[in-house]
Amino acid sequence: MRLTVREAAFRIFQHFGVDRLFGNPGSTELPMLKAMPERFDYVLGLNEAVVVGMADGFARASGKPALVNLHSAAGTGHSLGNLFTAFRNNAPLVVTAGQQARSILPYDPFLFAERATEFPRPYVKFSIEPARAEDVPAALIRAFQTALTPPMGPVFISIPVDDWDRECTMPGLPDLSLRTLPDPRGIDRLAELLDGASAPALVLGTGVANCGGWDAAIALAEQSGASVWCAPYAAREVFPEDHPQFAGFLPAWRDQLRDLLNPHDAILVAGAPVFTWHVEGSGPHWPEHAQLLALSEDPQHLAAMPGGGGVLGDVAAGLAALAERVKPRSFAGKRHRLADPQAAMTDSFVLSRIHALRPQDAVVVEEAPTARTPVHDNLPITREGGFFTCASGGLGYSLPAAVGVAQAAGDKVLAILGDGAAMYTIQGLYSANRLGANVSFLILNNAAYAALQGFAGEFGMNAVPGTDLGGLDFVKLAEAQGIPARRVDSPGAIDAALSWSFGESGPTLVDLRIA
């Protein structure tokens, strides 16, 4: 069947369950947008970082691939920070970028990308500019399949502007199963580790959520009697944090992590590297007396291990198989305890009130590095699909990601943001308003890049230049983009503002002035 590249492309998008396009339109993308099918939405972001952040949040919350359309070099450049985050988040994004017409590429035209496929590397799994217009549909199919193959991640296709109206032949549309089950002999080895221990521990990371392993993790923990720890910098929910076997959160400091794991003689790390570190350390990566094995769908997690052993394969399937294989044991460890902060304009107290007042089944999207420990101590995540954050450590992800999550989830989304983080992609509020996103934007406003100030001690610094953010008025910034907002300066005003925000069905913002 002969049809245009554009017609073939939209058939491919439909085949992979895509019903919307996240973008910020530019001249080289216009032919793609011509005659878009009915019931195919265009999700507008006012900056490409916002576009990719929204698409990432949607993909991770929906479990489906998200389609992104960027301009050539400049637009792709604007997106790269959040494209890097999408790569670290294992978000299945198919990114198309406009390229100038093939006939003028030899003449260095305006708004072209000279080495388009190299620009987003190494933070995409696959990058191509098809040699011919008629090769674009096959490249799109390969891109979707690569994005969805575990470990999932973004892919990139540069498409010249004049390709969309060219004729092509419609390629076959495959229907693949991309799940890889762990080797049964490897599962036996993991079971022997847990069965032979006197004080086993599970360390769960983002891969548990990526594979849909919430229930399997609970079943394994309860059957094996293991303490459950959250891996350093896990970017998703991994285990109910009000469960009696939940032990807490492991830090990205080697000596501190060893101390916390010291009571355990067997450690199973699932869906995470061993381990993610933030600063230099010395000595063993885990207690010397403990045996450690890992289970991951990401071969790089196993390849980079500093010792121990592991099994490659779907984490949810592996945990479920282990839950049936291990011997039953009673839990004898310690559980994580929530804090009880005093009433004051501190991040801890504000977060405790968010916990007390949040709607049932609300989804938390967080980017408040200064408050990461208070979040752990005051705002437990208790539901599957209930938490998203940035795995890369960059800023500017979670504000637009909350908008994307809200498109995929039917529940209220709570975007808990630092003031510095929010300013990276503040124009995402425009998209939230345009879409009527059911998001409460909660700004923990300490008028500083306070996380950097706190980290300065690691380098023997008493003061850090460029970290004062005084003078920002988030109420005005929100209202300028059509979102109602309130400011809170005292503990007595917290509950009323939160209750108002949580009770609204559209986007709102609360500027919480943290002392």
Side-chain angles (χ1 to χ4, degrees):
M1 179 185 297
R2 301 293 291 180
L3 65 172
T4 66
V5 168
R6 180 174 50 256
E7 290 168 338
F10 279 96
R11 292 189 184 188
I12 293 165
F13 301 154
Q14 181 182 30
H15 176 76
F16 285 99
V18 172
D19 61 0
R20 69 199 70 200
L21 174 63
F22 295 85
N24 177 269
S27 56
T28 55
E29 295 88 81
L30 292 180
M32 180 186 183
L33 308 181
K34 185 170 63 175
M36 285 177 61
E38 292 184 7
R39 296 183 296 278
F40 196 94
D41 294 333
Y42 189 91
V43 183
L44 173 64
L46 299 186
N47 174 282
E48 286 82 359
V50 171
V51 169
V52 172
M54 289 193 297
D56 179 315
F58 176 81
R60 296 171 81 197
S62 68
K64 301 191 300 183
L67 179 64
V68 176
N69 186 223
L70 304 174
H71 200 39
S72 54
T76 301
H78 291 157
S79 78
L80 287 181
N82 274 342
L83 192 61
F84 166 58
T85 291
F87 181 79
R88 296 304 299 264
N89 285 349
N90 300 125
L93 305 188
V94 174
V95 179
T96 63
Q99 172 66 295
Q100 270 289 8
R102 291 179 186 270
S103 63
I104 58 173
L105 286 178
Y107 307 109
D108 293 349
F110 188 61
L111 291 175
F112 90 118
E114 180 179 358
R115 293 152 74 173
T117 62
E118 297 177 36
F119 198 16
R121 290 186 183 271
Y123 300 117
V124 290
K125 295 179 65 181
F126 171 67
S127 184
I128 190 172
E129 185 174 279
R132 305 176 304 163
E134 51 264 48
D135 297 330
V136 170
L140 285 169
I141 292 172
R142 181 176 177 182
F144 273 99
Q145 294 177 166
T146 302
L148 292 166
T149 300
M152 296 184 294
V155 295
F156 181 86
I157 311 168
S158 173
I159 303 176
V161 67
D162 52 341
D163 282 6
W164 294 102
D165 289 315
R166 299 284 179 87
E167 283 196 343
C168 67
T169 300
M170 184 68 194
L173 293 169
D175 183 12
L176 304 180
S177 176
L178 300 173
R179 191 181 190 197
T180 302
L181 299 181
D183 180 358
R185 291 173 297 178
I187 295 299
D188 289 343
R189 185 181 177 193
L190 300 182
E192 290 168 4
L193 171 77
L194 296 175
D195 286 344
S198 59
L202 305 179
V203 177
L204 305 181
T206 307
V208 173
N210 290 346
C211 291
W214 178 268
D215 290 335
I218 296 170
L220 175 59
E222 293 178 347
Q223 178 72 1
S224 67
S227 297
V228 179
W229 293 90
C230 186
Y233 293 121
R236 289 286 307 275
E237 77 291 343
V238 299
F239 195 79
E241 294 167 19
D242 58 351
H243 193 284
Q245 287 175 241
F246 183 66
F249 303 84
L250 293 178
W253 278 256
R254 197 182 302 186
D255 55 344
Q256 296 176 29
L257 182 143
R258 279 200 309 266
D259 289 345
L260 289 173
L261 292 181
N262 194 58
H264 305 290
D265 59 346
I267 302 165
L268 172 59
V269 179
V274 183
F275 290 98
T276 299
W277 305 120
H278 194 177
V279 295
E280 291 181 279
S282 60
H285 290 257
W286 61 85
E288 288 187 282
H289 64 270
Q291 291 183 283
L292 183 145
L293 295 175
L295 168 67
S296 179
E297 65 174 4
D298 189 339
Q300 294 307 314
H301 287 173
L302 304 183
M305 284 180 64
V311 179
L312 181 68
D314 184 271
V315 177
L319 295 177
L322 278 172
E324 296 181 356
R325 170 73 169 75
V326 297
K327 298 174 182 177
R329 184 205 313 263
S330 299
F331 174 66
K334 297 180 180 179
R335 69 178 298 176
H336 179 66
R337 300 290 181 182
L338 294 181
D340 185 19
Q342 294 182 340
M345 284 306 295
T346 62
D347 46 16
S348 294
F349 183 70
V350 167
L351 289 161
S352 73
R353 299 315 301 157
I354 293 172
H355 169 47
L357 298 169
R358 61 178 164 173
Q360 187 177 11
D361 291 332
V363 178
V364 173
V365 182
E366 178 265 333
E367 192 176 293
T370 309
R372 182 64 54 80
T373 297
V375 167
H376 293 163
D377 292 342
N378 296 279
L379 186 62
I381 304 302
T382 59
R383 58 156 287 189
E384 185 176 15
F387 181 73
F388 300 87
T389 191
C390 165
S392 71
L395 296 180
Y397 164 75
S398 289
L399 190 153
V403 181
V405 170
Q407 289 193 62
D411 300 308
K412 170 70 78 173
V413 176
L414 311 183
I416 299 174
L417 310 168
D419 50 337
M423 286 304 299
Y424 274 68
T425 45
I426 195 67
Q427 63 271 56
L429 295 178
Y430 176 86
S431 296
N433 180 43
R434 183 184 179 94
L435 295 165
N438 189 14
V439 182
S440 292
F441 295 98
L442 309 174
I443 311 297
L444 303 181
N445 187 351
N446 54 26
Y449 285 126
L452 198 60
Q453 293 173 347
F455 197 64
E458 293 288 335
F459 301 99
M461 299 172 66
N462 295 321
V464 182
T467 55
D468 182 359
L469 299 182
L472 291 172
D473 189 330
F474 283 92
V475 171
K476 291 181 179 179
L477 286 167
E479 291 176 344
Q481 298 179 75
I483 291 182
R486 295 185 183 180
R487 171 173 168 163
V488 175
D489 294 289
S490 64
I494 294 173
D495 284 11
L498 293 179
S499 296
W500 160 75
S501 179
F502 297 165
E504 296 293 313
S505 60
T508 58
L509 183 144
V510 183
D511 182 357
L512 295 143
R513 297 297 175 121
I514 303 298

